[in-house]
Amino acid sequence: MTEDVKIAPSILACDFLRLGEQVASISNADFVHYDVMDGHFVPNLSFGLDILRQVASSTDVPVDAHLMISNPDAEAVRYVQAGASMVTFHMEATNHAHRVLHAIKDAGAKAGVVLNPATPVIALDAIIDDVDMVLLMSVNPGFGGQSFIDVTYRKLRQLRALCFERGVEPLIEVDGGVGMDNVADVCAAGANVIVAGSAVFRSDDPAKVVEDLRQAGRTGLAKRL
Ligand code: DX5
Ligand code: ZN
C-alpha cells in the first residue's frame, strides 16, 4: 500500500446553523471528523447520535466518529449503527479496549483508539495488532482552536517505531492545533490522517484548505527517513 495523506475536517468548528452546507463544502475530504463530547469525559458538550445520522446520510464522505465519552463500552456500537465508518474511543475511558475494538468491528466499522497528550504510546502495546487507526491527541480534548502540543512529534516517532517493530500499518491520525504551518512536520513525524477544524472551517474556502493541507502533508511524508 502506498501511503498517502488523508484529511479529516472537524465539523466542531462549523457554523452549526449552516451544518449541511458546511459538510457539503468538504466533499473532497477523506473523512468527516465528528467530535462527540459528553460533558463528563471532557468539559464540553457537542453532538450525538441524531445529528450523526443526518450528517452521515447527507454525504458520501465516510464519517470518523471521535468519542470523547466516559462509557464507550456501552455506547460505541450505537455510533456504528448511526452511520459512522470509523469509530475511535479513548484508552483513558475504558478498562476493556480490546473488547470495545472488536465490538465496533463486529458491528461493521473500522475501529481505533485515542491517546490523550499525557498517555504514553506504550499503552498501545497489547492492542496495536487489533486497531485500524490510532489517534494521537495533540491538544487536551474538549475544545477546538487550541495550540498544538509539541510532545506529539516524539509520540508519533515512537508510534511509527512500534508499528514497524510489530509489522502493522494502522492509520495514524493527529487531532488538535494542526494547520498549514505545521502539517508537513506532523506528517514527517508519522501521521497520515490530519484532523483540522479551525483551519478548514474558519476559512472562506474549506475545500481549498483541504487540498492545500493534503499537498503540504505530502511534502512532509516525502521527508520521512
Ligand atoms: C478537540 C477535538 C478536535 C478539534 C480540532 O477536542 O477532538 O477534533 O475540533 O479543532 P482544531 O483543528 O481547531 O484544533
Ligand atoms: Zn476530534
Side-chain angles (χ1 to χ4, degrees), residues 98-145:
H98 183 274
R99 179 187 292 153
V100 182
L101 282 167
H102 286 281
I104 293 167
K105 290 184 181 187
D106 290 349
K110 303 277 188 197
V113 287
V114 192
L115 301 186
N116 275 335
T119 304
V121 167
I122 197 68
L124 298 167
D125 185 67
I127 53 159
I128 195 73
D129 296 312
D130 299 282
V131 299
D132 296 306
M133 183 160 83
V134 175
L135 167 50
L136 296 185
M137 290 308 299
S138 41
V139 298
N140 289 295
F143 304 93

